[in-house]
């Protein structure tokens, strides 16, 4: 029901506040009282908001995240052979500015990151052998993503220092966006500044949306 368009700064300020308030009222209070024992999460929203949702959910409570598949059209996890290979492309140079690119559902070229952050940035890319918007098919893939992501966040902090910030550029399945927020440990991992791209944006490129501390 928001009349503000998502390439406007006001949209992200309003929707972040709205999500935090509704989560606190409808989920967090019930979790703390013990009236919610398990959550099944079906996420459809802009990816910065899904990452924020994941950070609010955390990993302290029993939660299972689902992905809406395109073919066949279903939320059920499929019994298909896992043929996905995750790959992390590490930067050759170490700069103070750090970018983490999730090129999972689509390819993101480095020039699009450089146009936002400048030439002197260390770009880490988390990708798969064949990026596409329907590759996430089973629970095992999502579990492997969480494992690889934990290792990657720790490696980035070790290389760039614990007082840094990660600029996040996501092109990923919704379930993985939620898990990105859940996996990140607020007291241990670096804060994230999440970007989005909407071609209605006059700059026609990535722009800042939500910071997750």
């Amino acid at each position: 029901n928001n009349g503000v368009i998502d390439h406007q700064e006001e949209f992200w300020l309003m929707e972040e506040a709205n999500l935090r308030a509704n989560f606190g009222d409808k989920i967090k209070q019930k979790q703390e009282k013990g009236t919610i024992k398990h959550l099944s999460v079906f996420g459809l929203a802009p990816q910065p908001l899904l990452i924020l949702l994941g950070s609010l959910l955390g990993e302290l409570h029993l939660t299972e995240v689902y992905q809406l598949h395109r073919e066949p059209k279903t939320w059920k996890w499929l019994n298909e052979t896992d043929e996905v290979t995750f790959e992390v492309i590490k930067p050759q140079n170490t700069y103070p500015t750090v970018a983490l690119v999730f090129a999972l559902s689509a390819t993101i070229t480095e020039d699009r990151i450089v146009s936002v952050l400048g030439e002197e940035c260390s770009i880490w890319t988390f990708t798969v052998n064949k990026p596409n918007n329907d590759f996430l098919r089973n629970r095992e893939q999502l579990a492997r993503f969480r494992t690889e992501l934990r290792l990657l966040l720790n490696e980035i902090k070790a290389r760039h220092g614990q007082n840094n910030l990660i600029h996040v550029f996501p092109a990923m399945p919704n379930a993985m966006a939620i898990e990105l927020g859940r996996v990140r440990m607020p007291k241990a991992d670096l804060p994230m500044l999440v970007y989005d791209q909407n071609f209605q944006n006059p700059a026609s490129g990535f722009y800042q949306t939500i910071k997750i501390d």
Side-chain angles (χ1 to χ4, degrees), residues 21-49:
N22 278 294
F23 184 88
D25 181 50
K26 297 178 181 179
I27 303 296
K28 187 175 181 180
Q29 290 185 17
K30 295 178 181 179
Q31 285 179 327
E32 291 174 346
K33 293 178 181 178
T35 56
I36 292 180
K37 304 298 182 183
H38 180 276
L39 286 170
S40 296
V41 182
F42 303 82
L44 291 174
Q47 293 196 347
L49 290 172

Side-chain angles (χ1 to χ4, degrees), residues 125-138:
T125 300
F126 194 128
T127 188
V128 289
N129 48 330
K130 294 181 180 180
N132 68 86
N133 58 15
D134 204 27
F135 81 87
L136 180 58
R137 312 292 281 176
N138 57 57

